[in-house]
Amino acid sequence: QVIAFIKSVKAEFEYPMVADIGCGNGKYLKIIKDNAQLRGDVYAVGMDMSANLCKIVANRKCEVLVSDALLIPFGDNQFDAVLNIAVLHHISD
């Protein structure tokens, strides 16, 4: 489903920028990076609060930043799409 979503974004934007906020171990970033139809056309960057998980993502050769999901280090309207899978239940009131 993630690939189908990213492909729909790619159909709308020539070189889309995608943020994976709360990327964990980078599972979806790696899927995007390894997909032959998306490779080179989609810029994806992950963000997670866990420095240890970000190290795993970096070892997978994906772009990643240590960041709070509520305080990402990007301005408004910087991304064409956002992934936020299984994250909301980790955010407190």
Side-chain angles (χ1 to χ4, degrees):
Q1 292 174 332
V2 170
I3 289 297
F5 170 68
I6 299 300
K7 284 181 180 178
S8 73
V9 173
K10 172 85 174 80
E12 189 172 339
F13 301 94
E14 186 174 0
Y15 296 103
M17 291 185 60
V18 177
D20 186 354
I21 300 174
C23 65
N25 67 11
K27 172 184 175 181
Y28 299 109
L29 293 168
K30 181 147 176 49
I31 288 170
I32 293 167
K33 180 176 118 355
D34 291 345
N35 185 284
Q37 294 174 331
L38 301 175
R39 189 178 316 124
D41 291 339
V42 175
Y43 175 74
V45 61
M47 291 163 252
D48 202 281
M49 281 188 71
S50 169
N52 288 334
L53 287 173
C54 287
K55 286 179 188 176
I56 292 169
V57 177
N59 286 337
R60 290 180 163 190
K61 308 289 188 236
C62 296
E63 297 287 330
V64 66
L65 301 167
V66 176
S67 175
D68 185 317
L70 299 177
L71 299 168
I72 66 169
F74 295 94
D76 293 346
N77 301 312
Q78 296 298 305
F79 294 96
D80 301 304
V82 174
L83 300 175
N84 189 247
I85 298 170
V87 173
L88 293 180
H89 63 278
H90 292 289
I91 297 174
S92 60
D93 295 340

